[in-house]
C-alpha cells in the first residue's frame, strides 16, 4: 500500500496548496482500493450492491419462440405477393398454455402475446390487421397482402440472451433493471461485494443537534443529515457518531472509534486553519493525512488520508460491527479495506459466502480507514462529497468507474467566474419553449446557503479554465437525479 507521499510523487505538479479538481480525483483513485469480501444475497436485498462476478446466463432468454402480438400464427411460406391469404383457425395458444396439436397447410392458430409458437409456424398476423369470419362453427381469417412479412411478430428463442452469455458484469451496480434481468434468468441470489461501512461525525463547538435549545452563536447541524442522505443513496452502512466538540480528547476518541469500525470516515468542519480547530492536528497525529487547498468553489479546504486502525486493539472500544454487517469469517482472511480488528466476534449473517482468497496473511491495523475531512460549510460538504467522496466510495465499493455524464444547458443568466478554479453553482434545469435545456442559478450562492442546494436539481459546473458566462451561453450541468 502506497503512502500519501508516494502517491504525491507519482503526480506531476502536485501542490497541496493549489490542487485542481482533476488532481484530487487522480490522487484519490490511487489511494483507495475496492473491498474484496463477498456476500450472496437474495435478489430483493441485492439492489444497490455491486456484482462480485459476471453473471452468466443459465438459460436462453426468451426460453422459446413466442408471439410478440395478439393475433394469428401461421407458416409464412404460404404468403403470396399481392394476394389475400385465407386460413382456418384450428385452435388457440395462450401465454403459459401452448397449442398442442399439429398445424397443416391452410391452417393457423389464434395466439396471444408471449404464447409459445406452435411447431412449424414462424409468423404472427396481428389481430387488428385481419378479418375474421365464422361459418358453421368454423373460424377463418383473411390476411390482406402487405401487412406482414415472414418472421414478423415472433420473438426467437435466445434472441435477448443466449445460454452461456454474460448477462451482467462484475462491478456493475445492481439497478432495478439489472435486478429484473437477474430474476428473468431464474436466479434467486446474486453474489455481491459487501457494503462499505462509513462513519460520520460533525465537528464544532457551535453545532447543535436538532432538539437542543438554541443558544447564542450556535447553529443546528445540517451536515450530519446531508451526509446521511448522500451515503444512504450510495447504499453504505452508516455509523453515525454525532456531533463532536472542538475538544482534543473527544475528537481523538471519535476518530479512533470511527477508524476501528469503518472503511471510510467522513467528518465536516475543522479543516480550515482556525484557532479552535484541533481536528487538523489530530488527523495528523492519528494517520497519514494530506491537507489540501483545492482550486474550487465552494469547498476549498479538505483533508484526505488514512487513519491507523491500531486503536482497535486497545481496550475500551467496543469493536462491534453495526447491525446487518457482514463480518469477515474468522480472523485470518485478507481484506483490502474494512477489516474489523481482532477480537471482534460476529457471526456471518445469512447469505454470506467466504471472502475471495483466504490464505494471505492479514495484519490487523495495517490497513487504515480512508479519511475524508470535509469543510464545515453545508454547501461545501455536499459539493465536495459529490465531486470527490462519491467517486472514491464507488471505487471502494468495487463499482466500475463511470463518470457522471454532464448535460449541456443554456444559462438564462450571466454568471461571474474567475478562470483558475472549478466552480459549482447550484442550478435549476428546465426545458425551454424550443425544447432545449436551460438553467438558472438558485439565488445566493454562499457556501453556507443550503437552500441553494435544496432548490437545485443540479450543479452548474464551471470548469477550471472557464471565464464569465453570458446569458445564452451553454454550460455543463451535473444533474442530481438519482444521486441526491
Ligand atoms: P469550519 O470549517 O469548522 O470552520 O466551519 C465553517 C462554517 O460551517 C462555520 O460557519 C460553521 O458554523 C459551519 N458548520 C460547520 N459544521 C456544520 C454543521 N455540521 N452544520 C451546519 N453548519 C456547520
Ligand atoms: Mg469548526
Amino acid at each position: 500500500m502506497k503512502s500519501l507521499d508516494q502517491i504525491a510523487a507519482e503526480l506531476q505538479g502536485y501542490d497541496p496548496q493549489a490542487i485542481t479538481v482533476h488532481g484530487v480525483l487522480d490522487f484519490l483513485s490511487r489511494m483507495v482500493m475496492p473491498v474484496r469480501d463477498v456476500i450472496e444475497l437474495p435478489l430483493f436485498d441485492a439492489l444497490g450492491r455491486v456484482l462480485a462476478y459476471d453473471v452468466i446466463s443459465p438459460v436462453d432468454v426468451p426460453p422459446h419462440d413466442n408471439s410478440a402480438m395478439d393475433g394469428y400464427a401461421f407458416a409464412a411460406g404460404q404468403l403470396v405477393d399481392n394476394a389475400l391469404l385465407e386460413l382456418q383457425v384450428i385452435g388457440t395458444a395462450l401465454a403459459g398454455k401452448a397449442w398442442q396439436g399439429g398445424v397443416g397447410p391452410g391452417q393457423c392458430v389464434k395466439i396471444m402475446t408471449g404464447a409459445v409458437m406452435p411447431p412449424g409456424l414462424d409468423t404472427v398476423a396481428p389481430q387488428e390487421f385481419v378479418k375474421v369470419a365464422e361459418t358453421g362453427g368454423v373460424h377463418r381469417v383473411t390476411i390482406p397482402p402487405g401487412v406482414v412479412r415472414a418472421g414478423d411478430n415472433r420473438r426467437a428463442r435466445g434472441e435477448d440472451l443466449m445460454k452461456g452469455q454474460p448477462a451482467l458484469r462484475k462491478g456493475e451496480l445492481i439497478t432495478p433493471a439489472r435486478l429484473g434481468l437477474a430474476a428473468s434468468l431464474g436466479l434467486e441470489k446474486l453474489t455481491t461485494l459487501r457494503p462499505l461501512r462509513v462513519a460520520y461525525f460533525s465537528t464544532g463547538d457551535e453545532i447543535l443537534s436538532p432538539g437542543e435549545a438554541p443558544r447564542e452563536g450556535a447553529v443546528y447541524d445540517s451536515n450530519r443529515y446531508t451526509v446521511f442522505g448522500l451515503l444512504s443513496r450510495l447504499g453504505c452502512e452508516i455509523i453515525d457518531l454525532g456531533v463532536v466538540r472542538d475538544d482534543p480528547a473527544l475528537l481523538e476518541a471519535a476518530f479512533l472509534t470511527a477508524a476501528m469500525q469503518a472503511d471510510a470516515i467522513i467528518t465536516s468542519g475543522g479543516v480550515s486553519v482556525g484557532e479552535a480547530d484541533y481536528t487538523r492536528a489530530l488527523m495528523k497525529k492519528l494517520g497519514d493525512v494530506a491537507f489540501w487547498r483545492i482550486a474550487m468553489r465552494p469547498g476549498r479546504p479538505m483533508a484526505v488520508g488514512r487513519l491507523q486502525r491500531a486503536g482497535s486493539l486497545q481496550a475500551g472500544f467496543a469493536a462491534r460491527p453495526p447491525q446487518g454487517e457482514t463480518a469477515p469469517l474468522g480472523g485470518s482472511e485478507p481484506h483490502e479495506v474494512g477489516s474489523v480488528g481482532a477480537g471482534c466476534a460476529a457471526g456471518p449473517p445469512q447469505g454470506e459466502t467466504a471472502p475471495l482468497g483466504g490464505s494471505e496473511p492479514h495484519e490487523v491495523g495495517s490497513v487504515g480507514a480512508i479519511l475524508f475531512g470535509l469543510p464545515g460549510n453545508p454547501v461545501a460538504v455536499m459539493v465536495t462529497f459529490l465531486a470527490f467522496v462519491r467517486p472514491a466510495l464507488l471505487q471502494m465499493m468495487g463499482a466500475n468507474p463511470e463518470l457522471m455524464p454532464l448535460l449541456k444547458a443554456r444559462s438564462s443568466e450571466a454568471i461571474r467566474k474567475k478562470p483558475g478554479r472549478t466552480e459549482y453553482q447550484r442550478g435549476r434545469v428546465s426545458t425551454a419553449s424550443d425544447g432545449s435545456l436551460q438553467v438558472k442559478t438558485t439565488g445566493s450562492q454562499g457556501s453556507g446557503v443550503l437552500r441553494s442546494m435544496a432548490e437545485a436539481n443540479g450543479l452548474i459546473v464551471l470548469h477550471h479554465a472557464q471565464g464569465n458566462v453570458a446569458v445564452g451561453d451553454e454550460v455543463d450541468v451535473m444533474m442530481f437525479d438519482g444521486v441526491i
Side-chain angles (χ1 to χ4, degrees):
M1 191 175 60
K2 287 178 196 151
S3 70
L4 266 56
D5 281 345
Q6 285 169 324
I7 296 171
E10 291 174 358
L11 301 171
Q12 279 212 330
Y14 170 75
D15 176 3
Q17 290 304 303
I19 188 167
T20 63
V21 164
H22 287 294
V24 169
L25 286 169
D26 199 0
F27 196 108
L28 290 175
S29 70
R30 291 162 196 255
M31 194 175 96
V32 304
M33 281 183 285
V35 290
R36 297 208 307 202
D37 296 345
V38 300
I39 16 169
E40 202 177 52
L41 291 172
L43 283 196
F44 282 126
D45 296 334
L47 184 68
R49 299 266 175 262
V50 175
L51 277 173
Y53 308 108
D54 288 356
V55 172
I56 305 299
S57 180
V59 291
D60 287 330
V61 182
H64 39 67
D65 287 8
N66 69 95
S67 177
M69 302 282 277
D70 291 346
Y72 296 86
F74 66 102
Q78 301 168 94
L79 284 170
V80 177
D81 282 350
N82 305 320
L84 291 170
L85 176 64
E86 197 180 272
L87 301 166
Q88 183 190 347
V89 184
I90 58 161
T92 304
L94 301 172
K97 203 165 171 213
W99 165 250
Q100 298 294 348
V103 187
Q107 297 181 329
C108 68
V109 170
K110 185 173 181 181
I111 195 162
M112 298 298 139
T113 304
V116 175
M117 291 292 285
L121 307 191
D122 55 11
T123 304
V124 174
Q127 62 185 11
E128 53 271 34
F129 292 159
V130 305
K131 279 209 185 73
V132 188
E134 191 223 311
T135 38
V138 176
H139 288 80
R140 304 188 77 77
V141 296
T142 307
I143 305 171
V147 298
V148 1
R149 290 162 312 167
D152 276 0
N153 308 311
R154 179 201 55 167
R155 297 189 284 222
R157 170 181 183 151
E159 88 176 17
D160 293 352
L161 202 56
M162 300 278 268
K163 182 176 171 174
Q165 271 185 343
L168 295 167
R169 293 291 190 178
K170 172 185 173 180
E172 284 181 344
L173 271 172
I174 302 170
T175 57
R178 291 172 181 152
L179 195 64
L181 181 59
S184 77
L185 307 179
L187 300 176
E188 286 178 276
K189 291 178 173 182
L190 286 171
T191 306
T192 71
L193 292 164
R194 72 158 174 82
L196 287 186
R197 289 180 290 267
V198 184
Y200 171 74
F201 58 91
S202 299
T203 69
D205 283 339
E206 78 284 26
I207 308 301
L208 293 172
S209 287
E212 285 188 81
R215 63 168 192 271
E216 174 82 25
V219 292
Y220 283 108
D221 182 6
S222 54
N223 295 341
R224 208 169 132 208
Y225 297 84
T226 49
V227 171
F228 158 81
L230 291 161
L231 289 172
S232 300
R233 289 288 172 103
L234 262 184
C236 297
E237 288 177 359
I238 303 158
I239 303 166
D240 176 13
L241 297 176
V243 179
V244 181
R245 304 262 155 266
D246 283 323
D247 171 308
L250 296 177
L251 283 167
E252 180 159 0
F255 276 120
L256 289 176
T257 307
M260 209 166 43
Q261 297 187 11
D263 303 308
I265 304 165
I266 299 174
T267 62
S268 73
V271 287
S272 51
V273 207
E275 257 174 73
D277 286 333
Y278 303 105
T279 325
R280 286 170 68 102
L282 262 168
M283 287 176 177
K284 239 184 219 152
K285 176 179 157 192
L286 298 175
D288 185 12
V289 179
F291 296 92
W292 289 333
R293 278 160 66 114
I294 307 169
M296 71 184 292
R297 199 160 105 157
R300 198 157 66 134
M302 181 171 161
V304 297
R306 245 182 239 114
L307 294 200
Q308 301 305 318
R309 219 178 276 286
S312 60
L313 294 175
Q314 294 168 2
F317 290 105
R320 199 160 14 85
Q323 260 207 335
E325 191 223 21
T326 59
L329 303 172
S332 60
E333 305 85 348
H335 303 292
E336 291 298 324
V337 295
S339 57
V340 177
C344 157
Q350 260 204 334
E352 198 207 24
T353 60
L356 301 172
S359 57
E360 294 168 43
H362 164 60
E363 286 174 53
V364 174
S366 66
V367 184
I370 299 290
L371 170 73
F372 300 97
L374 306 186
N377 273 312
V379 179
V381 165
M382 295 195 78
V383 168
T384 48
F385 187 100
L386 289 170
F388 310 128
V389 181
R390 187 171 183 276
L393 291 179
L394 281 166
Q395 192 179 336
M396 292 173 74
M397 286 161 66
N400 295 335
E402 250 177 81
L403 277 183
M404 257 206 272
L406 297 177
L407 298 184
K408 295 261 182 236
R410 270 184 299 108
S411 181
S412 352
E413 64 192 287
I415 306 174
R416 289 179 56 178
K417 158 74 171 59
K418 267 202 221 153
R421 66 182 184 207
T422 307
E423 288 192 15
Y424 298 87
Q425 302 245 337
R426 279 69 73 201
R428 182 106 213 134
V429 177
S430 58
T431 309
S433 51
D434 65 357
S436 67
L437 293 181
Q438 61 187 11
V439 64
K440 70 193 296 272
T441 61
T442 54
S444 170
Q445 296 288 302
S447 67
V449 184
L450 197 50
R451 191 170 50 80
S452 71
M453 275 302 279
E455 289 176 3
N457 60 4
L459 288 175
I460 303 169
V461 183
L462 303 172
H463 299 283
H464 192 83
Q466 203 170 340
N468 290 338
V469 173
V471 178
D473 281 357
E474 262 194 346
V475 288
D476 278 338
V477 182
M478 183 195 284
M479 296 301 290
F480 291 159
D481 196 21
V483 179
I484 65 173

